[in-house]
Amino acid sequence: MNTGYLRQAWAWLARRAENVAAAMLVAMFAAFILQIVFRYVLGLPIGWTHEVSVVLWIWLVLWGAAFVLRDTEEIRFDLLYGGAGERARRVMVVAAGAALVALYLVSLPAVIDYVAFMKVQRTAYLKIRFDWLFSIYVVFAVAAILRYLWLGWRAILGTPPKAFDPTQAGSGV
């Protein structure tokens, strides 16, 4: 199998996920501006723009966490992780990944049941069914399970996680 082709396809999918997140952010900003114009310039408050902003915010956060956020951008206990050697970092990745996969897998049936149950309610203005609204969490949970399985598998096979670099902007230092 040609791994170069798979990497190109993966990179293309990652860029499209970023495009979707950017489109949601633009739509959320447009709804916010529209809400301000209608309320304060025209004196006609509208509620659906607030609802669109909230729905897009929920989807943007979970979509971004599922498909846009890189593992190096996740929150870590840098004091422990940064001071550890390569082998210890691999063990930490495997342990954290196994714990998170187990938690997500245990909660997934209940999450799916709850999301399916929420079809009985709709949002106030746009009448969006809550099961559609909250379905992004199921997508996020499945993506998180797959991500942590992949990270754990790579760590088991010997691919070391990146070493702590306090000069990086996201290092928390």
Side-chain angles (χ1 to χ4, degrees), residues 90-146:
R90 284 180 39 210
V91 169
M92 288 180 193
V93 167
V94 171
L100 289 168
V101 166
L103 287 171
Y104 280 120
L105 281 174
V106 165
S107 70
L108 195 57
V111 165
I112 292 170
D113 284 347
Y114 183 74
V115 169
F117 168 75
M118 290 306 292
K119 71 181 175 189
V120 299
Q121 291 186 343
R122 296 178 182 267
T123 60
Y125 290 98
L126 299 176
K127 305 299 181 206
I128 301 168
R129 286 181 15 188
F130 274 24
D131 60 336
W132 287 100
L133 173 68
F134 295 135
S135 65
I136 188 62
Y137 185 79
V138 176
V139 173
F140 161 76
V142 170
I145 290 167
L146 295 174

Side-chain angles (χ1 to χ4, degrees), residues 8 25 46 52 80 106:
Q8 285 179 335
L25 190 59
I46 51 178
V52 165
L80 301 175
V106 165

Side-chain angles (χ1 to χ4, degrees), residues 53-54 63 66 71 97 111 158:
S53 295
V54 170
W63 178 270
D71 62 311
V111 165

